[in-house]
Amino acid sequence: MSAVGLSPAVAEFALRMGDNCLILGHRNSEWCGHAPALEEDIALANTALDLIGQTQLWLGLACEAEGKGRRPDEIAFLRDVSGYRNLLLVEQPNGDFGRTLMRQYLFDAWHLPLLKALMGSADKRIAEIAEKASKEVAYHLERSADLVVRLGDGTAESHTRMQAAVDFLWPYTGEMFLADALDEELVAAGLAPEPGSLKAAWQEHVTRTFAEATLKAPEKSFAQKGGRRGVHSEHLGYILAEMQFLQRAYPGASW
Amino acid sequence: MYAQMVKTEAKRVRSLDEMEPQERAFQERIDAGQKIEPKEWMPEDYRKTLIRQISQHAHSEIVGQLPEGNWITRAPTLERKAILLAKVQDEAGHGLYLYCAAETLGISRDQMYEQLHSGKAKYSSIFNYPTLSWADIGAIGWLVDGAAIMNQVPLQRCSYGPYARAMVRICKEESFHQRQGFDIMTVLSKGTPEQKAMAQDALDRWWWPSLMMFGPSDDASVHSAQSMAWKIKQNSNDELRQKFVDQTVPQAKYLGLTVPDPALKWNEAKGGHDFGEPDWTEFFAVISGEGPCNHERLEARRKAWNDGAWFRDGLTAHASKQAARRQAARIAAE
Amino acid sequence: MSSEWPLWEVFIRGQHGLNHRHVGSLHAPDAEMAILNARDVYTRRNEGVSIWVVRSADIVASAPSDKGPLFDPANAKVYRHPTFFDVPDEVGHM
């Protein structure tokens, strides 16, 4: 369904979803060939591949809803920083492998309940993408949570590194649950859940995982925010400079 | 090839009559096309040569991730990004299968890494060249994977079971690698003048290193003769190189690109191309550590290994803790 | 510390309800992670629906030198194979 009047909201929402997948997939792909063990190299590449696949679906929907005849590649490779709608969390630099895994976990624990809720979206296209993605993301969460537990409750060094990762990334988690005018519109139309409604499931998962991992969530709840309306950290510019290089250097060429 | 110039201990290949009964029985099984399996008796030199060959092959796969991995974050479309990532991931998988095959011969993966990181073990010369443009990703798939397939297909029939089985899996998975490279080259050669120039430049730079992958002529090499007698090598280097040139030249023509070899011409009498001699001085310099990227490649592998130590140790420690907890719970329950 | 993760043998049941088949090996710190790693390494092309892993060190194998005594006797029991019996053409499929 999705009435014509709602199309801009759907397009914007699909951008938010797709940009999260694209930027996190991009960050994970930076590890390819450099991970701590071959088995992990392969596993993380699988996650990145899933996310790039999901990017194609969400950006495809964004193009369709936008109705201007653009293609997903044009949106991915020709928007500047201010046009990107991803969370600040996913654009944070990889750091050590522990921080990469922690970022993945904090994202997955939010991504899965979000997708589950979206499976009931009034827009069938959103529901279908969510259904496909949720199967992949359920596995991402299983794996990232498992590794967080193991490394938190591993050696003194692995514990220290994982705690440092939590402390560094925590301020970027609050943004996942903040609502703006677009969210209100989406909720009212039954297209997407209220962001705040996902907090309980996320919190519960994180609390349980951290307890097992012997990690502590920081007390402070200050949230860095802005990604969803195009105000990013300095890091995104460099990601895009690299990612968009060919499309920018050779305008109009096909690849 | 991915395992170039693998040394044996042989001074010359001995005939069956010169062998002790055990070795003779072994050689007869190989001659009869039977597979040798891990715990069976084998000559020490067979075992050592295989370890050298398989580990070189494995190292080539994982070092080979680096030049292509270099372009994953710069791939020009979402689809190209996914394809390239999947391909480079496959190479990690192939390295993994090969390391496991070598482990059946009594060496651990960590020991093989140690040999790689210390510079003692070799890997294919080709991966010490830089990837400077997107067309290089096309050229690697087309030429380097094309050359690798020439060698890997016959290795599926090699005498050592675990190696042969790993090659079966690898060949099956690699079937898309060369095609994706050729596809990139096709799009570039039909693209803008800049793209076409990019494709020609890549062919110019990768052609000779690709021919070098097969290694110098080994018709007179006792090592190759011994490896062939053991069926862990099936064709001579020159044979494979000829086959590669004959296969690739028409493809270059299809692309409208020029192979950078003035001596290249069709020889009707032999039913194949005549072509120039690669610069073997350059080849020996590259395999002895003086290629343009040897330093970066090894440094990247060492860094990945050293930076990952805490991660591997952390998981080991957790597994031990969990095992101890289970043990304690079992005792408490009894 | 730096002790190597143990080696595991991986068995996968394909899509077709056949027996689990040995597909290769990998390293993992324990059985649970070996399963996850096997999923990521050996089912990248949608090859399986069920995974078994077993420590390589725990595999008990027949000694290669026993190959004659273990398997040759079965070779002699040709009557175990359906082709041993002639079925007259008139009888049709059996």
Side-chain angles (χ1 to χ4, degrees):
Chain A
M1 57 133 259
S2 171
V4 177
L6 285 168
S7 288
V10 170
E12 181 75 4
F13 177 70
L15 278 187
R16 290 180 174 183
M17 296 299 292
D19 288 349
N20 280 331
C21 296
L22 175 54
I23 300 302
L24 186 57
H26 182 97
R27 279 294 193 213
N28 286 342
S29 77
E30 292 173 8
W31 276 105
C32 187
H34 306 273
L38 268 181
E39 285 81 359
E40 285 303 320
D41 206 299
I42 293 167
L44 193 59
N46 274 339
T47 305
L49 281 169
D50 287 344
L51 290 169
I52 295 168
Q54 292 170 25
T55 304
Q56 289 170 300
L57 298 174
W58 288 120
L59 295 190
L61 174 57
C63 291
E64 190 187 321
E66 182 190 63
K68 292 183 188 159
R70 291 204 292 176
R71 289 173 299 107
D73 282 336
E74 290 174 64
I75 316 198
F77 293 91
L78 297 175
R79 265 179 308 156
D80 204 343
V81 168
S82 61
Y84 264 79
R85 295 290 179 260
N86 59 280
L87 299 165
L88 299 178
L89 175 71
V90 297
E91 69 197 42
Q92 295 310 304
N94 285 340
D96 64 11
F97 204 67
R99 189 193 284 177
T100 295
L101 291 171
M102 183 59 75
R103 182 184 60 200
Q104 186 68 41
Y105 168 66
L106 294 170
F107 179 80
D108 293 339
W110 165 79
H111 200 194
L112 185 62
L114 170 58
L115 291 169
K116 295 248 157 147
L118 289 175
M119 284 162 64
S121 170
D123 188 319
K124 227 179 102 201
R125 298 166 303 179
I126 293 178
E128 279 171 8
I129 296 173
E131 168 150 25
K132 180 178 185 301
S134 70
K135 289 179 196 146
E136 296 168 349
V137 172
Y139 181 73
H140 299 174
L141 178 59
E142 181 186 345
R143 200 171 217 289
S144 63
D146 183 55
L147 284 168
V148 164
V149 168
R150 287 167 181 270
L151 294 167
D153 183 26
T155 59
E157 184 181 3
S158 71
H159 176 85
T160 307
R161 283 173 182 267
M162 294 312 278
Q163 187 61 57
V166 179
D167 295 345
F168 177 85
L169 294 167
W170 197 255
Y172 299 102
T173 57
E175 192 184 11
M176 300 189 285
F177 310 107
L178 299 177
D180 58 15
L182 176 74
D183 291 302
E184 282 167 29
E185 196 183 336
L186 294 165
V187 171
L191 294 171
E194 215 297 295
S197 69
L198 303 168
K199 179 91 188 245
W202 182 82
Q203 190 76 60
E204 192 271 327
H205 204 289
V206 170
T207 304
R208 181 158 39 91
T209 304
F210 280 12
E212 232 188 304
T214 70
L215 295 170
K216 279 199 188 67
E219 303 283 333
K220 281 192 227 159
S221 60
F222 172 70
Q224 297 283 0
K225 55 185 181 291
R228 282 156 36 103
R229 56 187 167 88
V231 183
H232 290 273
S233 63
E234 290 178 348
H235 307 296
L236 186 62
Y238 290 96
I239 294 178
L240 298 187
E242 200 170 325
M243 188 172 91
Q244 301 179 338
F245 159 66
L246 284 166
Q247 294 275 2
R248 301 287 192 186
Y250 302 92
S254 304
W255 302 92
Chain B
M1 198 28 58
Y2 278 16
Q4 291 158 326
M5 305 176 64
V6 178
K7 290 225 165 61
T8 64
E9 304 290 321
K11 304 277 183 283
R12 65 186 180 84
V13 180
R14 290 176 305 139
S15 70
L16 286 175
D17 291 337
E18 295 171 90
M19 294 175 186
E20 296 296 315
Q22 201 169 29
E23 186 176 357
R24 184 183 171 128
F26 171 85
Q27 186 63 49
E28 281 170 345
R29 286 183 56 207
I30 289 187
D31 294 343
Q34 290 181 21
K35 294 272 183 263
I36 307 303
E37 294 297 337
K39 285 179 181 158
E40 296 172 350
W41 185 87
M42 60 186 78
E44 190 52 19
D45 192 21
Y46 176 83
R47 193 181 69 82
K48 280 191 182 155
T49 304
L50 267 176
I51 289 179
R52 245 177 252 136
Q53 179 170 338
I54 302 172
S55 64
Q56 268 190 39
H57 198 156
H59 295 329
S60 298
E61 296 282 356
I62 61 159
V63 176
Q65 285 187 275
L66 302 171
E68 289 177 281
N70 189 28
W71 278 86
I72 291 172
T73 54
R74 288 179 288 173
T77 67
L78 293 171
E79 189 178 70
R80 291 284 181 207
K81 190 192 276 293
I83 293 171
L84 182 59
L85 179 55
K87 177 185 188 263
V88 180
Q89 181 201 37
D90 273 350
E91 278 150 18
H94 299 166
L96 186 149
Y97 308 156
L98 289 161
Y99 282 125
C100 289
E103 281 180 87
T104 62
L105 292 158
I107 185 169
S108 72
R109 194 196 289 177
D110 281 7
Q111 285 172 310
M112 289 184 269
Y113 275 154
E114 164 55 30
Q115 292 173 352
L116 174 67
H117 298 155
S118 69
K120 190 178 161 228
K122 301 289 180 220
Y123 56 87
S124 179
S125 53
I126 194 79
F127 301 119
N128 290 315
Y129 291 87
T131 48
L132 304 176
S133 77
W134 174 249
D136 289 16
I137 300 308
I140 289 183
W142 173 37
L143 301 173
V144 176
D145 288 294
I149 291 167
M150 295 264 147
N151 185 50
Q152 295 185 155
V153 166
L155 275 177
Q156 293 179 99
R157 301 190 312 271
C158 94
S159 65
Y160 189 57
Y163 192 24
R165 289 190 287 273
M167 290 320 304
V168 169
R169 198 173 178 92
I170 289 171
C171 286
K172 202 167 111 195
E173 295 185 352
E174 280 212 341
S175 51
F176 92 86
H177 291 186
Q178 192 189 13
R179 288 183 189 192
Q180 68 87 33
F182 192 71
D183 186 56
I184 290 174
M185 294 304 274
T186 307
V187 171
L188 293 177
S189 343
K190 291 182 179 157
T192 65
E194 288 99 328
Q195 286 178 306
K196 187 158 184 191
M198 199 187 274
Q200 181 63 53
D201 170 59
L203 175 58
D204 290 347
R205 281 180 294 107
W206 290 93
W207 175 256
W208 292 109
S210 298
L211 293 196
M212 290 177 204
M213 282 178 73
F214 297 95
S217 180
D218 61 349
D219 292 343
S221 159
V222 65
H223 303 302
S224 294
Q226 179 62 72
S227 289
M228 282 178 164
W230 281 333
K231 293 196 183 159
I232 56 180
K233 179 179 170 78
Q234 314 268 5
N235 309 86
S236 79
N237 294 348
D238 285 334
E239 238 176 301
L240 290 171
R241 188 167 17 246
Q242 180 71 49
K243 209 172 152 199
F244 174 75
V245 171
D246 290 338
Q247 176 189 289
T248 312
V249 168
Q251 295 167 349
K253 201 172 165 196
Y254 168 85
L255 294 172
L257 300 177
T258 310
V259 173
D261 178 0
L264 183 76
K265 63 169 192 297
W266 177 254
N267 179 334
E268 190 61 47
K270 79 169 179 186
H273 292 84
D274 290 332
F275 53 95
E277 193 69 21
D279 178 355
W280 294 112
T281 319
E282 174 180 318
F283 171 78
F284 285 110
V286 172
I287 55 170
S288 66
E290 291 165 5
C293 298
N294 294 57
H295 182 74
E296 284 103 313
R297 301 293 184 244
L298 265 192
E299 202 45 46
R301 288 310 316 165
R302 285 194 203 110
K303 184 174 186 320
W305 183 247
N306 294 333
D307 289 358
W310 72 269
F311 171 86
R312 296 187 300 275
D313 290 347
L315 294 191
T316 303
H318 181 81
S320 316
K321 281 187 195 176
Q322 283 296 86
R325 282 173 199 147
R326 271 181 217 145
Q327 178 74 7
R330 212 174 304 138
I331 292 168
E334 276 164 15
Chain C
M1 180 156 49
S2 292
S3 56
E4 194 167 357
W5 295 343
L7 192 64
W8 301 79
E9 299 302 322
V10 180
F11 300 80
I12 290 185
R13 185 205 295 284
Q15 306 282 6
H16 323 291
L18 300 174
N19 288 327
H20 283 76
R21 201 167 65 85
H22 183 242
V23 294
S25 11
L26 49 73
H27 287 273
D30 62 20
E32 290 77 14
M33 277 222 71
I35 293 269
L36 295 184
N37 288 348
R39 181 263 187 203
D40 279 305
V41 172
Y42 286 105
T43 68
R44 298 202 302 288
R45 286 171 173 77
N46 194 25
E47 293 99 331
V49 293
S50 163
I51 300 173
W52 289 349
V53 293
V54 57
R55 284 273 295 254
S56 307
D58 290 340
I59 298 242
V60 182
S62 60
S65 53
D66 291 344
K67 204 150 118 190
L70 276 184
F71 304 113
D72 287 353
N75 255 341
K77 297 182 181 62
V78 285
Y79 47 80
R80 281 191 183 276
H81 300 277
T83 47
F84 177 74
F85 304 93
D86 283 328
V87 177
D89 287 344
E90 307 86 285
V91 176
H93 180 73
M94 183 179 284

